[in-house]
Structures are given as structure tokens and as C-alpha cells.
Amino acid sequence: MAAKKTRKRKTSSAAKKRTRKRQKDFAPFYKEIAVLVVFALFIFLFLSNFGICGYIGNSISTFFFGAFGTTYYIVPIVAFLLVILLISNDYSSLAIKKVCFTILLLCMISTIFQMVFEVKDAYSAFLFSGRTHRGGGFIGALIGSFLYKELGGAGSVLVVMLVSIISVILVTERSLLSFLKKAVDFFMIEEDEERTAVKKQRVKGKKESKGSELKKKRSLNIPDLRLGRPKPSEASPMPVMEEEPRASVQMQKDFDDLIVQPAPEVEERSIEPMEPVQPKASKRSLVNKDKETRIKPVEILPQVRTREGDYKFPPVSLLEKGKKTSNNNKEELRQTAQKLQKTLEDFGVHVTITNISCGPSVTQFELHPEQGVKVSKIVNLADDIKLNLAAADIRIEAPIPGKPAIGIEVPNKTNQMVMFRDLIENQEFAQARSKIAFAVGKNLAGQVIVSDIAKMPHLLIAGATGSGKSVCINTLIMSILYKATPEEVKLIMIDPKVVELSAYQGIPHLLIPVVTDPKQASSALNWAVMEMGERYKKFAEVNVRNLTGYNEKVEESIKNGMEGEDFKKLPQIVIIVDELADLMMVAPGEVEDAIVRLSQLARAAGIHLVIATQRPSVNVITGLIKANVPSRIAFSVSSGVDSRTIIDMNGAEKLLGKGDMLFYPSGYQKPIRVQGAFISDEEVGKVVEFLKEENNVEDNYGADIQEKIQTAAVKAATSQERDEYFEDAAKFIIDKDKASIASLQRVFKIGFNRAARLMDQLCEAGIVGEEEGTKPRKVLMSEEQFEQYKEDYL
């Protein structure tokens, strides 16, 4: 029995599922069938007005004419439209509300007809006699009689008109005030046109009268005694400017006024804040007011010209010149701006585009949101904006520092390459007084960005492989080569990868040859720390605070003829580390300590650090290094975590690569986006070859430093290989004048193998002699000799 019941339940459930499936099969046709039925009903009701639909049609017609009166002629059409509105909107709440207000409007229309035709007997119309189709029917008579009793004739008309207007506003969702404003503006425009026409006629009359006077003078041979140029109002009347008509509707933004594409040969030097677009703004650029004025390009830099003396600057002709091309079409920018505005409006965010800045690789659209829009709402729509614009990636700067606007940066379809020669020929670079000025690149407005390494005062460059770090370092070095002499700036290059900075081997600016050994690199950094200490001692002797003051004292002494070997000008030193990760793997403690000490104290001594790495992790860029290196350049990275490691915020993961950077020097509130300059290996090779051929300078100062660094590297290598008890064991053996492995085991509490290795190290150093069978080893050094050995090798 239980099995039969379960079978019955299964069959009944299966039957129900089949019926549900059949019902779902016809679901797509329900709306279409409903529309057809409603349309047929509309035709039937409409034809019943003319008495051609039989008894049922006449009865329905009589009923509705009795209820609505004259209004019934439009009832079938309105009913059909309302039903279609409900079906198409899936019976939404807004559609239902519109239907209700439409029915209320029909009732008000019936009341108006009732008042016009003054049908007195309201109840006689309800008997559905259908003898007359005039008046407002039972509904109009009922509402009209009620209002007439309570409010009188004038009050009834006022209430009916008010309810009708409110219903029309709610059904059409159109403002009555805006319609009235348009009408007023229309008449005002007509008045302005009449005034302009009158002014034109007056001007025309003046022209004709002046022309007749001149004719009279010529005919009478009366000479014109006026001297100089004729006044414009007399001889050549200027056209009178017509007054702009007032805006009758909201004017569409002309995006041509917003697009800023700097002329190829024009270079800008300052960025002025943008102003929001006004509806009656004249057609001119909204960015820099001096965009209209053309600045003459610099033909050749004063620093680049060959000077008399040993050192010759490389000419700019060794570098390649960039092609001057416009990277974007105005029509494309206009379409992108419209898409952007439409996308935000679809999500309920109303904005005004106040400026469009076309950079070499990225275009920035500045948006001004209306009052009450949260910045986070626009930031959260980044993926939707990227989808609708079909962009590879976008970056949102919210807000732009110093402006009441939000910047959305969209990649250009075609990128414009920024060449290094274009930057150093610019006036910004030519007029920079610092000898270690650095041509970074061009910003989003196409302006050349030149920074001073002395003000940074240390720089960290990080980014993924192939993002443009090495090219950025090349532009930095080449900027110094085109700006300073070897006596003014010295370079220390550390290149554990061997292949990047080796091209600069042999240039006169190098203090020592390019360092490729990581152990020697830590020694070079330690030498820089010692040099910093010695410089501060020299500053204290002459009572100055920094390198500039010291060199000024030296210049004064030269004028007075008091220059000495120890008192001469000191050069600025720039230490460039191409790959920090390799150094941190070999000697993390020594490298980090040296970098931290230099970054904390070396600024006033004229020593500056430029550190680059392709692995921006906390093991490489430690907290101490980040805290003491305030200026950063972030290239494209793989994740937001790496971006936060470099610049303490997201954004670098949105970069495009190939020199696209976030430049964040000390003193800036937020990083700025810059397209870095490109310089090829061939150009670097030409400049280096020129410097080698034209400048053969032997620097003994650099040779002494190189010897010190190599000696320090040897000491470091030997100290790492020796046992930590080496010095103590040597002192013990010299003091006891006996050398045996057993005594070392007993005194230092170590095993036999370690004691034997320690004895071998003492033998290699020449402190004890060779092994002589069972006899103890001879002690070969005295205490004085060991102290000298420590000074030389330990």
C-alpha cells in the first residue's frame, strides 16, 4: 500500500511538472496575444460609436456616452494606449500611477465639457438614454455639481484647471516652468533680433551719409585735411559686434573648445588652473592662456656649445629628433567625451566635462560632478567606464590636486613618442641652473617636465621588466652629460646586471669605472659614507653648512690667490644603482646601512642616490630605505601591492608601460602622470664615443678612490672568509708564544675541525708557521707586527 501511494505521488508530481512545462512553453506569446486582444477591443469600441456593431456595441456605446459624455470619443484610444503602457512596462508602479492620473485627467475633461454645455440634470444622463452625446456625462455632471455647490462657479473652474495641469505634468513628466521659460526666452530673442536689426539699419544709414559727404567733397575738390591714419569710425568703419542672444535651451557643449592639443613646436612652461565651461564661452582653449602665443624653440643649448678648454660638450646633433605629429583626432575625442558623459548619466551621475588634455600616450578628461555626487561613486564605476569606452585600462584621479574636478585618463589609440632631444632643446631644460637637472618627460598637457636631483634629493625608480627603468636611467645620465662638466659632477655607477651601464665605461664624469661586482659595490657605498664624513669635517673647518657654501668660499680664496691642494672645489656626486635586488641578496646588511646613512645625511654634502629595481618587494625596498628616499618614480607593475610598495598608493598597475610613469617627487601631494623620454642605445653610443675622443682626462683623484674601494673589497672578502675568532686566537697565540689546535679547542670551546681551520687561516696570514710533525707550530709575529697587519688587512 505504501508503495502504491508513493507511485501515485510520483505520477501526480510528474503530471504537474509537465503541465508547468507546457504553460512555460507559451509564455513568450502571452504579451503578443494580449496586445492583439486589446487592439481588437479598441477597434470594436471605436466602431460602436457609429452604431455599426449591433446590439452589444450600441449598449456599450450608450453606457459609456452616459458615463463620459462627449469625452467618450477619445476613451477607446486612451484606453488602448494605457493598456499597451502597462503591458510593455510589466505593470510597474510608475506605469500604474500614470494610468491613474490619466483616468483622473479624463474625468476633469468630462467636467469641463459638462461646464461648457451646462447639462443640469446629472441623474437623467445616468439613465443611459443615449439621446444626446453632448456634455460630460454622469461623471462630469457629478463632479461639476459637487464643486459648484461647495466652491461656486469660479472656484470650480479653478480647481478643475489645477487638477488637469497637475495630471498632465505627472503623466508627461515635463515641467511647466521650463516651458514658460522657453516661451519667455523665445520672445526675448525676438526682441534682441529687432534691436540688432535697428542697430544694423542705423549703421547702414551712417555709412550711406558718410559716403554721400565724401562724394560731395570730391565733387567740390575740397581736400581732406586730416593727418595720419583715418579713424576707424570715419574712413573704414568697423563692423558692429552683434549681441549674443540669450540661450533659449540648454546649449550643447562644444567639445572643440575643451580639447587641448599643444602645437608640436610650442613648449609650455607653466600649468594654469582650469576654469569650468560656461554656456556662452568663446571658442578658445580652456587650458593655458599662453597656448595661443608661440614660443621660439631653442636652437642649441648654451651648455651644449663647445667651450675653450679640455672638456667639450656633446652636440645635440648626435641625438635623433622626434616626429611632430598629432596623435588624436578631435572627432574621436568628442565621441569619447560624449560616451563618457552618457555612461555616467546612465548610472545616475551627472557631470560636466570642463577640460580635455591630450598627452603623448594618454588623454585626461576633467569632470566636474554636480552638487551632491560622491567622489567614491565615480571611482567605483571604473570597470563600467572601461567597458563602455572599450579601453585597455583607465586610471581615475579623484580629485585632481588644486582643482574641483575628477580626472579620468584614457589611453590614446595612437601614441606619440617623446624623444630625448626634444626635451633638452626645450627652454625649461636650457634655463635650469642646476648642474644635475633631469629631463623627465612630458605630462598629460604635453608640457616638458624638468626636475632637479639636488632638490629630490634621492630618487627611487621601480617597475616591472620592460616598463622603461633603464631608459629612464639613461635619460638621467645623459641629462647630466649635457649639463655639467666632469669637474662639477662625478658619477658612480653600480651595475650588477653588467649589461646596462657598461656603455658609459670611459666617460670623464665617472669617478671610478662602472662597478659590476656586488661585493665591490658595497665597498663603493661605504667609501661614499666615509667621503660624506670627510666633507662635513671640511665644512666645519670653514664654517659653512653645505657644498654650495663651501665652493663659494673656495672661489673667494681663488680670487685672493689663496687656493691650496686641500682647499679646492668639490664636485657633486651622483651614485646610480641599477639593480638593488642583486645587492640586497649578496650583502643586505651592509648595503642597506650604507644607503640609509647616505640618504639621511648626504644631501648637504652634495652626494645623491638614484636607486632602481625591478622587484618592488619589502625585502628589497625596506621600510628604512622608503622612509629616507622621498622621491619616487613608479613604472608599470603587475599588482596594486607593488604599487603601494613604491608610492604608497594604487595607480601604477594601471600604467601602459613603455615609459608611462607616475612621477612623485618630494613636495608633491599626489604623483603626476608623465610619458618618459626615449633614447636609443645608438644615441648613447654616439655621445659616449664623442666624449671619449674629445675629452682625454686622467683623474688621479678617481684612481686613488678606485684603489681604496678595491682594497676595501679585498678586506671585506677576506673578513667574510675568516673565522670570527681569528683576531682573538691570534692575540692568544702571540701572548702564549705557543700554537696548537688543542689549546684553541680548550680556550674557545670549539670542535676539532673548526680549530684546525682556524689554525690554517692563521698560517695563511703568516702569524704561525707550517706544521712540523708532532712539534708545536712556531709563532712568527710579534704584537707590534700583528697591529700593523690589522691596519692593513682587517
Side-chain angles (χ1 to χ4, degrees):
M1 292 293 290
K4 287 181 180 180
K5 287 181 180 179
T6 53
R7 285 175 187 173
K8 286 180 180 179
R9 288 174 185 172
K10 286 180 181 179
T11 53
S12 61
S13 62
K16 287 180 180 178
K17 286 180 180 178
R18 282 196 294 272
T19 53
R20 287 176 186 172
K21 191 174 180 182
R22 287 172 186 170
Q23 289 174 358
K24 289 180 180 177
D25 290 340
F26 295 105
F29 302 102
Y30 288 164
K31 286 186 178 180
E32 189 173 347
I33 292 169
V35 171
L36 292 173
V37 170
V38 169
F39 182 71
L41 185 60
F42 157 68
I43 297 296
F44 181 80
L45 292 176
F46 184 74
L47 295 176
S48 65
N49 293 337
F50 306 99
I52 56 175
C53 290
Y55 176 74
I56 295 176
N58 292 335
S59 301
I60 294 172
S61 175
T62 304
F63 175 82
F64 279 110
F65 270 120
F68 290 98
T70 309
T71 314
Y72 176 62
Y73 286 107
I74 62 172
V75 166
I77 301 171
V78 174
F80 174 71
L81 296 176
L82 291 179
V83 174
I84 295 298
L85 176 68
L86 288 172
I87 293 173
S88 61
N89 288 280
D90 292 329
Y91 302 95
S92 65
S93 61
L94 181 61
I96 293 171
K97 290 176 183 177
K98 286 193 175 186
V99 168
C100 294
F101 284 111
T102 306
I103 294 171
L104 179 61
L105 181 62
L106 286 175
C107 295
M108 292 299 106
I109 293 172
S110 299
T111 307
I112 291 170
F113 279 113
Q114 181 67 23
M115 291 178 178
V116 171
F117 292 103
E118 295 182 357
V119 180
K120 296 180 181 179
D121 192 3
Y123 295 99
S124 64
F126 189 61
L127 298 177
F128 315 127
S129 61
R131 293 177 184 174
T132 177
H133 293 170
R134 298 177 64 187
F138 173 74
I139 293 174
L142 184 63
I143 297 172
S145 62
F146 174 77
L147 292 176
Y148 187 80
K149 288 178 183 178
E150 299 296 332
L151 301 174
S156 303
V157 172
L158 182 62
V159 170
V160 169
M161 295 302 294
L162 179 63
V163 175
S164 301
I165 292 171
I166 292 173
S167 302
V168 170
I169 290 172
L170 295 176
V171 170
T172 59
E173 295 185 8
R174 293 291 183 271
S175 174
L176 179 64
L177 296 177
S178 64
F179 175 76
L180 295 175
K181 186 179 177 183
K182 289 176 185 178
V184 171
D185 289 339
F186 176 76
F187 289 113
M188 295 287 288
I189 288 170
E190 285 189 349
E191 274 186 35
D192 290 339
E193 287 177 355
E194 288 178 3
R195 289 176 186 172
T196 358
V198 170
K199 285 185 179 180
K200 283 182 179 179
Q201 288 178 0
R202 288 178 183 174
V203 171
K204 192 175 180 182
K206 287 181 181 180
K207 286 181 181 178
E208 290 175 355
S209 62
K210 286 174 184 176
S212 59
E213 286 179 6
L214 288 171
K215 284 180 182 179
K216 286 180 181 178
K217 285 182 180 181
R218 287 171 187 169
S219 61
L220 296 174
N221 294 322
I222 300 175
D224 192 356
L225 300 177
R226 289 174 295 178
L227 299 175
R229 286 186 175 182
K231 295 180 181 179
S233 60
E234 296 176 354
S236 57
M238 300 294 289
V240 178
M241 299 299 292
E242 299 181 8
E243 293 182 0
E244 284 192 37
R246 298 183 184 178
S248 59
V249 293
Q250 186 178 3
M251 298 181 67
Q252 185 179 2
K253 299 287 185 297
D254 189 359
F255 289 105
D256 290 340
D257 297 342
L258 306 178
I259 298 171
V260 177
Q261 282 184 325
E265 64 274 4
V266 177
E267 303 293 348
E268 303 301 329
R269 295 188 295 170
S270 62
I271 304 175
E272 294 184 4
M274 316 308 303
E275 297 179 359
V277 180
Q278 301 295 334
K280 295 195 289 186
S282 60
K283 291 193 175 183
R284 57 183 177 85
S285 173
L286 290 178
V287 175
N288 303 322
K289 293 181 180 178
D290 54 357
K291 284 273 183 189
E292 306 292 335
T293 61
R294 303 170 74 86
I295 302 173
K296 294 181 180 179
V298 181
E299 296 178 359
I300 192 167
L301 296 176
Q303 291 84 359
V304 177
R305 293 174 184 161
T306 305
R307 298 179 181 177
E308 296 180 359
D310 294 330
Y311 182 75
K312 294 181 181 179
F313 283 85
V316 291
S317 57
L318 298 174
L319 305 175
E320 295 180 8
K321 203 164 187 178
K323 296 179 181 179
K324 307 297 183 181
T325 55
S326 179
N327 57 344
N328 266 307
N329 187 6
K330 285 188 177 182
E331 183 62 30
E332 291 179 0
L333 294 174
R334 187 188 299 111
Q335 291 176 2
T336 305
Q338 289 174 348
K339 281 183 185 177
L340 181 60
Q341 201 169 15
K342 177 70 167 55
T343 302
L344 293 172
E345 285 179 358
D346 291 342
F347 289 96
V349 179
H350 299 283
V351 297
T352 304
I353 298 180
T354 57
N355 184 37
I356 303 174
S357 299
C358 305
S361 59
V362 176
T363 299
Q364 185 186 57
F365 297 87
E366 292 186 11
L367 312 178
H368 181 71
E370 67 178 14
Q371 195 71 24
V373 176
K374 289 186 177 180
V375 173
S376 59
K377 190 172 183 181
I378 299 177
V379 174
N380 294 334
L381 294 173
D383 293 335
D384 301 292
I385 295 170
K386 185 166 63 173
L387 174 66
N388 288 326
L389 295 183
D393 210 342
I394 65 168
R395 177 176 173 266
I396 299 178
E397 189 176 15
I400 300 173
K403 294 182 182 179
I406 295 170
I408 297 182
E409 298 166 3
V410 182
N412 296 335
K413 292 184 179 179
T414 56
N415 295 340
Q416 182 183 357
M417 188 175 290
V418 178
M419 300 303 292
F420 179 68
R421 178 172 175 175
D422 298 338
L423 301 188
I424 64 170
E425 286 183 334
N426 182 263
Q427 289 184 356
E428 283 290 331
F429 187 78
Q431 294 173 0
R433 295 182 180 179
S434 175
K435 297 301 179 184
I436 49 177
F438 167 33
V440 185
K442 289 186 178 181
N443 64 0
L444 293 176
Q447 297 170 329
V448 174
I449 302 297
V450 177
S451 187
D452 185 7
I453 300 175
K455 293 180 180 178
M456 288 187 175
H458 310 290
L459 178 63
L460 174 64
I461 304 171
T465 305
S467 57
K469 297 186 308 300
S470 299
V471 177
C472 180
I473 292 174
N474 284 334
T475 57
L476 186 145
I477 296 170
M478 296 293 285
S479 299
I480 295 173
L481 296 182
Y482 273 92
K483 198 75 177 173
T485 64
E487 291 79 18
E488 294 168 339
V489 177
K490 289 290 184 181
L491 299 174
I492 296 177
M493 299 185 188
I494 300 172
D495 182 18
K497 293 191 292 188
V498 182
V499 294
E500 296 295 342
L501 301 179
S502 320
Y504 297 99
Q505 195 74 269
I507 62 174
H509 291 76
L510 280 179
L511 193 60
I512 57 174
V514 178
V515 179
T516 55
D517 185 10
K519 294 179 182 178
Q520 193 175 353
S522 62
S523 301
L525 292 173
N526 288 324
W527 172 87
V529 173
M530 292 187 292
E531 175 69 13
M532 176 185 67
E534 291 178 5
R535 288 191 174 192
Y536 278 125
K537 289 178 183 177
K538 292 179 180 178
F539 296 167
E541 289 175 1
V542 295
N543 196 20
V544 295
R545 299 178 60 184
N546 52 26
L547 182 67
T548 306
Y550 183 82
N551 288 337
E552 288 175 358
K553 288 276 188 181
V554 173
E555 286 182 359
E556 290 178 5
S557 64
I558 291 173
K559 290 178 182 178
N560 299 328
M562 297 174 61
E563 184 183 10
E565 292 184 0
D566 296 334
F567 192 55
K568 59 182 179 181
K569 279 190 174 184
L570 296 175
Q572 291 178 296
I573 299 175
V574 179
I575 303 171
I576 300 168
V577 181
D578 188 29
E579 186 51 63
L580 181 63
D582 290 346
L583 300 184
M584 295 296 285
M585 287 178 65
V586 176
E590 296 179 9
V591 170
E592 184 180 2
D593 291 344
I595 289 175
V596 169
R597 287 200 65 190
L598 287 172
S599 58
Q600 285 176 341
L601 303 171
R603 179 187 62 82
I607 302 174
H608 306 280
L609 284 171
V610 178
I611 305 168
T613 181
Q614 64 180 1
R615 196 177 69 182
S617 62
V618 292
N619 297 328
V620 178
I621 307 174
T622 62
L624 282 173
I625 293 176
K626 280 182 64 177
N628 293 287
V629 182
S631 299
R632 289 91 180 264
I633 292 178
F635 287 92
S636 176
V637 294
S638 57
S639 65
V641 177
D642 292 342
S643 177
R644 289 193 293 273
T645 305
I646 304 167
I647 55 175
D648 298 325
M649 64 180 70
N650 289 334
E653 74 278 5
K654 304 287 186 182
L655 298 176
L656 306 176
K658 296 183 180 179
D660 190 16
M661 69 174 80
L662 288 177
F663 182 52
Y664 196 8
S666 60
Y668 277 45
Q669 294 178 351
K670 281 187 178 181
I672 61 171
R673 194 165 185 176
V674 177
Q675 177 61 41
F678 175 76
I679 183 168
S680 62
D681 295 336
E682 290 78 9
E683 295 174 77
V684 173
K686 289 178 184 178
V687 174
V688 171
E689 194 65 30
F690 176 85
L691 292 177
K692 287 180 182 177
E693 291 177 358
E694 300 293 334
N695 303 282
N696 297 320
V697 181
E698 293 182 1
D699 193 350
N700 296 325
Y701 181 62
D704 295 340
I705 294 169
Q706 183 181 357
E707 186 179 351
K708 288 180 182 179
I709 291 173
Q710 287 177 350
T711 306
V714 172
K715 288 182 181 179
T718 53
S719 64
Q720 286 181 358
E721 293 173 359
R722 286 173 179 161
D723 195 282
E724 60 179 337
Y725 291 126
F726 178 84
E727 189 176 346
D728 295 336
K731 289 179 180 179
F732 171 73
I733 288 172
I734 292 171
D735 185 39
K736 296 294 182 182
D737 199 22
K738 288 182 181 180
S740 65
I741 297 174
S743 62
L744 294 178
Q745 283 182 270
R746 185 178 65 255
V747 172
F748 297 106
K749 298 178 182 180
I750 55 178
F752 176 80
N753 293 332
R754 185 175 179 183
R757 286 195 301 271
L758 183 56
M759 187 62 73
D760 292 339
Q761 292 174 6
L762 292 170
C763 181
E764 289 176 4
I767 298 172
V768 296
E770 295 290 338
E771 192 176 8
E772 298 178 3
T774 57
K775 294 181 181 180
R777 296 177 186 247
K778 292 181 180 179
V779 180
L780 304 178
M781 276 192 187
S782 62
E783 291 185 5
E784 292 80 9
Q785 290 173 335
F786 182 67
E787 291 295 331
Q788 184 64 35
Y789 175 83
K790 282 199 304 181
E791 291 180 3
D792 294 337
Y793 296 101
L794 295 181

